[in-house]
Amino acid sequence: MNIRLWVLVGIVAISGFSQGMILPLIAIIFEQDGISSAINGLHATSIYIGILLISPFLEKPLRKFGYKPIIILGGLIVLLSLFLFPFWKSLWFWFVLRLLIGIGDNMLHFGTQTWITSFSTAQNRGRNIALYGLFFSLGFAIGPMMTRLLVINESLPFIISAGLSFAAWVTIFLLKNEIPEQDSSDATSFFGTFQRFGQVWKYAWVAFLPPFGYGFLEATLNGNFPVYALRIGIDINAVSIILPAFAIGTIVFQMPLGLLSDRYGRKRILRFVMISGFFTFIVAGIFEGSEVALFSCFFIAGMLVGSTFSLGISYMADLLPKKLLPAGNIMCSVFFSFGSITGPFIGGMMIQYAQGVSFFYLISLMLLSIFIALFFFRPQNHEIHSYE
């Protein structure tokens, strides 16, 4: 594997570290300051709002200037935002900084995802995107450990994260810039971007459901499960052990699933993990009173559906010609954000109003719906017949 791939996944790892740190760190700080849980949760959506706001505007500069400038600017926005947190502790100021981190992270991920999917071949795409997902997951899993530094100094986690982001950011200057394949004379127009969104949706709509599902799943488990667990009598210490089991399962099986998708096809592997995830969460719902059963189900679910974002990106790249990959990657991020925003809201409504019905059945229903869509989808692009 060349230096280009390692530099890009290294940048993504630090981005995952920063995101994994920010979510619990600010939640704990706000909780200690007596800010309501409702405001706390609403504040956390600012990252996803930033992702959605910038998404329609990314393809034009990428096609005009190339991958490297987009990644450089996105990384710069993230590290400066992290650096500014200690300067002024204000609810609205921190909301804006988190929104800027969402914008910067989306630029960074859009640039790296599109670059990797562009230079990867159909035979190694699953492996390369799985490596991308693995490094992000590792960073995201390590990030929450920074909350322990709060007992030393509230600013310390932000400063360390900004320093690590800077160290990763400078490595992008080692790479030679490349420009995506152009498709027409209006390739850099804003109107052309929305035309390509329509083409992308026509050919690859089903590939955006796994990123949506992953966003829904990740945000719901992190945002709703602790509340639900306490309501059904599970100890908070047990929750702190059960919840990371999903991330551990994701890390363990990210690469194997990517390699299997290269060999047996993205669609087959996606259908397998969706239906298996469906049954896993059904079992979790049946045995939700057992902490051991929940830990096992979370770990198995992580092994199965924890890679759906990276598998979805790989499948999208199989379905689309290279000239549409920038628009396709944007839509993957948009659908992930939709899932991340809607998941906790729907999950919270179910916990509040559907008492007596297991919270895990909501996740099972979502996974089953994606499986059905994958089962009936028939691609229109003749180039990917070998990956069915």
Side-chain angles (χ1 to χ4, degrees):
M1 283 179 273
N2 57 38
I3 188 173
R4 176 174 53 180
L5 179 61
W6 286 113
V7 167
L8 295 177
V9 298
I11 291 169
V12 166
I14 299 301
S15 173
F17 173 84
S18 298
Q19 286 188 43
M21 179 200 76
I22 282 288
L23 289 169
L25 182 70
I26 294 181
I28 290 171
I29 291 172
F30 283 173
E31 179 67 22
Q32 291 175 344
D33 290 348
I35 293 172
S36 72
S37 58
I39 295 296
N40 205 334
L42 184 63
H43 203 278
T45 65
S46 55
I47 287 182
Y48 304 112
I49 293 171
I51 292 173
L52 291 174
L53 283 176
I54 195 63
S55 290
F57 305 98
L58 289 178
E59 192 192 21
K60 180 179 177 179
L62 180 76
R63 289 186 177 277
K64 186 174 182 179
F65 301 111
Y67 303 107
K68 187 174 173 179
I70 294 293
I71 298 171
I72 289 174
L73 181 57
L76 184 62
I77 291 171
V78 170
L79 71 91
L80 287 177
S81 299
L82 288 167
F83 182 72
L84 288 172
F85 270 98
F87 282 87
W88 186 25
K89 189 177 180 181
S90 161
L91 200 67
W92 286 108
F93 182 62
W94 280 21
F95 183 90
V96 172
L97 290 181
R98 291 176 92 169
L99 187 141
L100 287 172
I101 287 175
I103 289 173
D105 267 328
N106 197 18
M107 294 175 70
L108 191 152
H109 285 286
F110 171 59
T112 53
Q113 280 175 204
T114 310
W115 206 348
I116 292 172
T117 52
S118 179
F119 68 68
S120 298
T121 65
Q123 288 71 35
N124 67 16
R125 183 175 292 131
R127 181 202 67 185
N128 288 351
I129 296 297
L131 193 67
Y132 168 94
L134 173 63
F135 271 68
F136 179 81
S137 298
L138 284 170
F140 197 87
I142 296 171
M145 296 179 184
M146 299 292 286
T147 57
R148 297 179 181 180
L149 298 179
L150 284 173
V151 297
I152 301 173
N153 188 288
E154 192 174 271
S155 301
L156 190 58
F158 297 109
I159 295 170
I160 292 175
S161 184
L164 290 172
S165 296
F166 177 77
W169 179 72
V170 296
T171 62
I172 191 65
F173 292 95
L174 299 172
L175 303 183
K176 181 181 178 181
N177 189 32
E178 294 178 13
I179 295 176
E181 182 178 313
Q182 306 296 325
D183 63 342
S184 66
S185 59
D186 72 336
T188 60
S189 74
F190 186 73
F191 180 69
T193 293
F194 281 91
Q195 284 185 318
R196 281 183 291 279
F197 284 163
Q199 290 179 290
V200 166
W201 180 258
K202 177 183 177 182
Y203 289 110
W205 62 268
V206 76
F208 305 128
L209 299 182
F212 171 86
Y214 182 74
F216 187 102
L217 180 64
E218 182 187 59
T220 303
L221 290 181
N222 286 293
N224 296 135
F225 171 68
V227 175
Y228 182 73
L230 293 175
R231 291 195 178 189
I232 62 174
I234 295 176
D235 183 73
I236 189 66
N237 292 321
V239 173
S240 67
I241 297 172
I242 294 168
L243 203 51
F246 182 84
I248 296 168
T250 299
I251 291 168
V252 168
F253 234 59
Q254 186 91 230
M255 283 299 293
L257 280 177
L259 293 169
L260 286 170
S261 75
D262 282 336
R263 182 169 182 178
Y264 297 107
R266 242 70 72 182
K267 187 177 178 181
R268 288 193 185 98
I269 297 300
L270 277 167
R271 286 189 300 194
F272 168 75
V273 299
M274 290 300 171
I275 196 65
S276 301
F278 163 75
F279 285 116
T280 302
F281 280 107
I282 288 290
V283 172
I286 295 172
F287 297 102
E288 62 182 17
S290 167
E291 295 170 2
V292 174
L294 283 182
F295 179 88
S296 301
C297 287
F298 271 54
F299 180 75
I300 294 169
M303 291 174 63
L304 294 167
V305 294
S307 302
T308 47
F309 183 77
S310 56
L311 287 172
I313 292 174
S314 300
Y315 190 37
M316 174 273 298
D318 290 340
L319 291 167
L320 296 176
K322 282 191 174 182
K323 62 186 180 182
L324 292 177
L325 286 181
N329 277 280
I330 288 174
M331 292 188 72
C332 281
S333 296
V334 167
F335 272 78
F336 168 78
S337 298
F338 279 141
S340 300
I341 292 171
T342 59
F345 174 74
I346 297 173
M349 293 288 285
M350 183 173 181
I351 292 171
Q352 185 171 350
Y353 296 109
Q355 296 178 7
V357 179
S358 176
F359 156 76
F360 297 111
Y361 295 158
L362 171 66
I363 298 173
S364 291
L365 180 62
M366 183 269 296
L367 295 174
L368 180 63
S369 300
I370 297 175
F371 168 79
I372 292 171
L374 285 163
F375 186 83
F376 287 105
F377 175 74
R378 294 294 177 266
Q380 300 184 45
N381 191 338
H382 68 279
E383 294 179 2
I384 54 89
H385 65 278
S386 62
Y387 286 86
E388 288 300 295

